[in-house]
Amino acid sequence: MKFTIATLPGDGIGPEIIDQAVKVLKVIEKKYNHQFDFQFALTGATAIDKTGNPYPQETHEICINADAVLFGAIGDPKYDNDPKSKVRPEQGLLEMRKKLGLYANVRPVTTFPSLLHKSPLRRELVAGADFIMIRELTGGIYYGEIRGRTEDGTKAFDTNVYSKEEILRVTRMAFEYAMKRKKKLTAVDKANVLATSRLWRETVQETAKDYPQVELEFLLVDNAAMQIIQWPTKFDVIVTENMFGDILSDEASVITGSMGLLPSASIGKHTSVFEPIHGSYPQAAGKDIANPLATVLSAAMMLESLNLIDEAKAIRNAVDASMIQGMVTEDIATGKSYKTSEVGDWLARHILLKK
Ligand code: IPM
Ligand code: MG
């Protein structure tokens, strides 16, 4: 079959890790007789440097017309310490989410037994943790239009706004995920303080009537932050609003000790976007040391979304084999470590030669 894949390397280590995913996908293409048309496009600081815009119209058109988007990372430290800068790489990401209607960010949090020693938590607390964080991605305080500063510059404000419709669609998706898993859903809010959270809670309760088999629990966000580190194995699917999800998903990703292995999918109205969760890691850019596995696993999630199940499995098997054989980058190596490109080459060969 033929698929068009918008490929957005972005900033920092983005280009190096995307290279490895493309390498792997090219082998899949050959072995399984598909045709992947990789359409490369600019985003982030790289796009600002070349066009002045972190999400140029041309990039948007490539994305919206593609079957899926494979995304590296964006962000550049030169913007982080300049709060007055008019354009920022992150604006590109937010605009892409809005224009592609990516209302749900799905981050599987999985532990790998061989990496448990890297977890900041004691092994017995985190072993076996396996849950999915679903974060609403195009609403809330990130997008509330009433924002700014008073004229004298001494007060600033953002607004957290949610419509019932926005809550409903992501809530339904979360229940559907729970139905396919252990049928447990935790809805995280701050209903004891925020009006938006009370609308969330009400909407989740209504939706629950259509999913009587799913065990539903509500947690206040501060309590959820605690329980994720105290008792990570209790969770199956978590759903929450944009800002809480931003914070909790970083917390959740780091407890596994394998941040460099975690992929994500952003799903919505148009083309879905698949990206590693670790960001642009500028200190490592260009050094060929970044872990490509999260991006390669994002490519596997992408293939699953395109219904290429065996193909995705072949990628996952290769990643497992690379870990078992210690064919990994320095961040997760226990003995000898390999370069980003060497790991990519190894995965590609493994897939090609495997019967
Ligand atoms: C993420 C990131 C972004 C966010 C930033 C880069 C704008 O932290 O994808 O979680 O806050 O959503
Ligand atoms: Mg974040």
Side-chain angles (χ1 to χ4, degrees):
M1 277 166 83
K2 188 169 185 295
F3 299 93
T4 304
I5 300 171
T7 312
L8 278 51
D11 305 327
I13 57 169
E16 301 158 53
I17 53 178
I18 285 289
D19 272 355
Q20 312 317 314
V22 169
K23 227 180 245 177
V24 163
L25 287 168
K26 284 198 166 149
V27 173
I28 294 284
E29 184 181 30
K30 205 156 140 195
K31 187 165 174 177
Y32 293 84
N33 257 321
H34 297 302
Q35 210 180 321
F36 295 146
D37 178 10
F38 297 96
Q39 302 219 341
F40 282 81
L42 295 171
T43 184
T46 319
I48 300 178
D49 291 344
K50 297 214 170 107
T51 71
N53 181 345
Y55 186 61
Q57 182 60 24
E58 195 191 329
T59 299
H60 178 60
E61 269 155 32
I62 289 178
C63 290
I64 203 137
N65 292 314
D67 294 300
V69 180
L70 188 61
F71 192 94
I74 64 159
D76 188 312
K78 76 180 172 208
Y79 295 93
D80 291 345
N81 299 320
D82 179 10
K84 293 226 161 83
S85 155
K86 286 237 154 50
V87 288
R88 312 177 56 80
E90 289 79 7
Q91 286 166 349
L93 190 60
L94 298 188
E95 205 183 318
M96 177 175 79
R97 289 173 181 170
K98 200 62 171 181
K99 283 190 165 167
L100 292 178
L102 304 173
Y103 60 79
N105 179 242
V106 178
R107 289 185 175 193
V109 177
T110 344
T111 43
F112 296 85
S114 62
L115 295 180
L116 284 179
H117 65 283
K118 297 264 179 195
S119 169
L121 298 183
R122 288 199 309 278
R123 174 183 288 267
E124 63 269 25
L125 277 182
V126 72
D130 173 14
F131 60 94
I132 294 193
M133 280 279 330
I134 299 183
R135 162 189 177 192
E136 199 292 324
L137 203 58
T138 53
I141 199 160
Y142 274 59
Y143 291 95
E145 276 166 17
I146 302 170
R147 62 170 68 209
R149 290 225 193 169
T150 52
E151 240 163 61
D152 68 1
T154 60
K155 257 191 200 167
F157 44 90
D158 299 282
T159 43
N160 192 8
V161 186
Y162 267 110
S163 70
K164 191 160 184 136
E165 185 47 42
E166 286 173 314
I167 302 168
L168 204 57
R169 59 190 182 187
V170 69
T171 301
R172 282 203 174 283
M173 186 184 290
F175 273 106
E176 291 294 335
Y177 268 93
M179 284 298 287
K180 290 195 205 114
R181 295 175 50 96
K182 286 177 246 148
K183 298 194 172 57
K184 222 184 133 192
L185 179 64
T186 305
V188 174
D189 61 32
K190 189 72 186 173
N192 54 348
V193 178
L194 302 178
T196 41
S197 279
R198 286 192 284 273
L199 182 61
W200 267 83
R201 200 169 273 219
E202 192 182 296
T203 309
V204 173
Q205 275 162 346
E206 281 172 26
T207 314
K209 292 184 190 134
D210 297 334
Y211 298 91
Q213 303 98 311
V214 175
E215 182 194 333
L216 173 65
E217 166 194 49
F218 289 99
L219 281 185
L220 295 172
V221 62
D222 44 353
N223 188 7
M226 249 164 49
Q227 293 202 21
I228 286 173
I229 46 172
Q230 280 184 322
W231 193 9
T233 52
K234 75 170 249 184
F235 296 102
D236 182 24
V237 178
I238 299 178
V239 65
T240 190
E241 63 136 90
N242 203 345
M243 173 88 134
F244 299 156
D246 178 45
I247 299 166
L248 294 182
S249 59
D250 268 23
E251 185 197 12
S253 68
V254 85
I255 58 169
T256 64
S258 46
M259 173 98 137
L261 266 81
L262 300 184
S264 77
S266 297
I267 299 169
K269 294 190 199 153
H270 304 287
T271 326
S272 300
V273 176
F274 300 85
E275 64 180 301
I277 66 153
H278 50 57
S280 61
Y281 191 18
Q283 305 84 328
K287 294 190 181 152
D288 203 19
I289 56 170
N291 189 341
L293 295 183
T295 315
V296 170
L297 289 170
S298 301
M301 274 183 106
M302 178 180 86
L303 295 184
E304 278 151 7
S305 83
L306 298 172
N307 235 339
L308 303 181
I309 307 301
D310 291 343
E311 292 84 338
K313 188 87 194 117
I315 295 183
R316 292 185 187 281
N317 288 343
V319 168
D320 287 345
S322 80
M323 292 209 293
I324 290 167
Q325 299 187 29
M327 197 56 222
V328 293
T329 43
E330 61 181 25
D331 54 314
I332 57 172
T334 39
K336 181 170 161 44
S337 65
Y338 295 84
K339 297 281 181 197
T340 311
S341 54
E342 290 174 325
V343 175
D345 290 342
W346 190 93
L347 294 169
R349 256 177 68 80
H350 182 91
I351 294 169
L352 192 66
L353 299 179
K354 186 96 188 155
K355 293 249 164 53

